[in-house]
Amino acid sequence: MCGIAGRILRGYGAVGNDLVELMDAQAHRGADSTGFAVYSKLCETGYKLRLMGFSRAHLDSDLDEFAHILRAHGADYLSEPVIDDSGDRHYAVRMLISEPADLVRWIDDADLIADRIEVQSLGKSLEIIKDVGDARAVADKHGVREMMGTHGLGHARLATESSVLPTASHPFWARPFPDVAIVHNGQITDYYSWRKRLQQQGYRFMTQNDSELIAVWVSDQMSKGLSREAALDKSIDAIDGVFTFMISDTQGIGFAKDRFAMKPLVTVEDGGELAAATEEQAVRRVVRDECHVINYDGPSLTRTWTVGPQRAAA
Amino acid sequence: MSEVVITVGDRSIRTINQEIQAAVADGHAVCVKETLSRHNLGIGLPAGARVRFEGSVGYYCGGLNSGATIEIGRDAGWGTGEAMASGHITVNGYSGMSVGASMLGGTIHVKGDCGPRCGVAMKGGDIIVEGKLGYQSGFMAHAGRIIALGGAGTSCADALWEGQVWVLGDIESLGVDTQVVEPEPEEAASVEQLLAGYGLDDSAHDWRKVISSQRLWYFESRDANAWLMI
C-alpha cells in the first residue's frame, strides 16, 4: 500500500513544495521511505547527477575513485560536489558533470563501485531525492520544499519485498536512460522472468525492487521505437501483477494501471496543470477549491500528460 | 431539528467525528463543511442522525452506519458505507471503488457512476446507482441487491453468491459463474417500488437481472470446464 503522486505546474515554480504536500498527505500509506523526482531547468551542457555513498569513513577516497572513472570516460565535474553527510550511515552528493563519451559504458563502469557509491539519478533536468522516513523528514533533511521546477513525482513506500534502505526507495531512475524516473504502487508477479530477460539485454539493476524493473522496461520499449503511450499500453498485458505506476521524463508524466483495477489514481487536470495522487485528499492539499476530480478507477488504463510550452520560457 | 455546522479543513478527523457524534446526541442535524476529500468522516453514526457533508469526501465515509441518514454533496472515495448495518447514504456525484462493501442492510443511493467492485461481498441492503456500475461490481456479493440504471462495466457480478445485480442498459461483460435471468413480476415490482421512493419511476424498465449460475458453489476440481470458467 504505497502512495504515489505526480505534479505538473503551468510554469516554472515551487514544484518541490507541492510534491512534499502531496506525499505528506499520504504518509500513512507507507513511511518506510519517501522520495521525490524533480524536473528543474535543463542543463545546457552535461548532466545533473545525484548519488549516495554508504561509508562516510571512505567518503574522500570513494569520491576520488568515482571521479577517476568519470575522467577515464572523458568527462569531469562541472561543479564541485555538494555533500550532505548528515545521515547516520550514508551521505548524499549532488554535482554537475560533463557528458561522458559513452554514457552507457560509463555508468556500467561507475556501477562497479555501487556497493560504496550508487548513482541514483542522472539527467539534463531530473534530480531524485530519496531517503528513509516520512515526507516531512526527508523533505526537511534534503531541502525538497525549496526545489523549483516544472514537474515531478513523489512516493511514500510501505516496504514489502525488498529492504528498507535509502537505495530501495522510490523513485527509481531508469538506468541508463537520462531523465526517466518511476514511482509505483503495487507488485509485479513476473518480476524475475522480466529481470532475467532485461539483464540478458545488458541492463543492470541495483535493487531487488520490482519498480526499478518497470522503469527500465518502459524505457527499453521506447528505445525500440514505441511511443510513450504505446509502451504504457503494452505494459498492461506484458507485465503481470497489480500496479499503478507513473513514469516521467523531461516531456511530462504518464501512468499505467493493471487489468485488475486494484491501485487507485486520482487527478485534477486543469489548463496544462496536473495534480495526481493515490488519494483524492492528497490532491486537495494543492488544489483546495472544489474542482472536477477524475478517478482512474477502472482496469487497463493509461494516460500521458505533457509539460506545456511555457516550460521553454522557464 | 436545528442544524449544527462543523468545519473540517485541516483539523483531526477524530475531533471532527467526536463533534458530529456530540451534536447528534444533542438532537441536532449536522452540516459538515470544507471536507477536502478527507477520509473516515461520519463513521459509526447512530439511528436518527442526519448528517450532510458538503463537497467531496474521502475513503469510508458513513462506514458502520447504524441507522443514520447521510448525504454527500459531491463525490465519495473508496469504501463509502462499508459494513453499514442500516440507514441511508446518498452520494450526489461519483462513488469510488467498493461502495457498500460488506454492507449488511440499509440503502446507498449513488446519483453518478460508481467505481469497481460496487457492493463487493455485501450481505444485505440495496445499492442504487443512477449511472454506470464499475468493473466487477457485485463481486462475491452474498445477499442484497445492486440496481444500476446506466449499465454496467466489464466482469459484472463476478463470482456472485446470492446477491443480485439488476441492470438497465448495456452490460459490457458478465463475470464468471453468472447468468442473466428474467425477473419474476413481483421481484421487478419490488425493485421499482424501491426506486419510486427516490423519484426514479419515470421510465419503462427492461431489467436484466444477474444472478449466480452456482457452478462455483459446488466446485468440483476435476471439472475441466469449471477451471476454464475461472
Side-chain angles (χ1 to χ4, degrees), chain A residues 82-94:
Chain A
V82 178
I83 301 168
D84 176 359
D85 59 354
S86 60
D88 292 336
R89 288 172 292 184
H90 56 276
Y91 59 91
V93 184
R94 179 183 186 275

Side-chain angles (χ1 to χ4, degrees), chain B residues 122-204:
Chain B
M122 64 188 290
K123 301 174 192 311
D126 292 303
I127 302 175
I128 302 166
V129 179
E130 291 192 38
K132 182 180 175 182
L133 287 179
Y135 164 75
Q136 215 169 57
S137 283
F139 180 59
M140 296 186 75
H142 291 264
R145 294 177 297 194
I146 298 170
I147 303 159
L149 309 186
T154 53
S155 196
C156 178
D158 192 276
L160 200 66
W161 292 100
E162 291 182 86
Q164 302 172 5
V165 181
W166 292 63
V167 182
L168 287 179
D170 294 336
I171 298 174
E172 289 180 15
S173 70
L174 289 170
V176 300
D177 201 26
T178 55
Q179 58 181 321
V180 177
V181 298
E182 189 71 23
E184 297 295 330
E186 58 271 24
E187 291 180 308
S190 170
V191 167
E192 290 173 9
Q193 184 181 17
L194 175 71
L195 294 175
Y198 296 91
L200 300 171
D201 56 350
D202 57 350
S203 61

Side-chain angles (χ1 to χ4, degrees), chain A residues 265-269 292-297 303 305, chain B residues 75 94:
Chain A
L265 190 75
V266 175
T267 69
V268 172
E269 304 165 22
H292 178 59
V293 174
I294 301 172
N295 288 268
Y296 289 96
D297 272 350
R303 175 76 200 268
W305 301 272
Chain B
D75 298 339
Y94 172 87

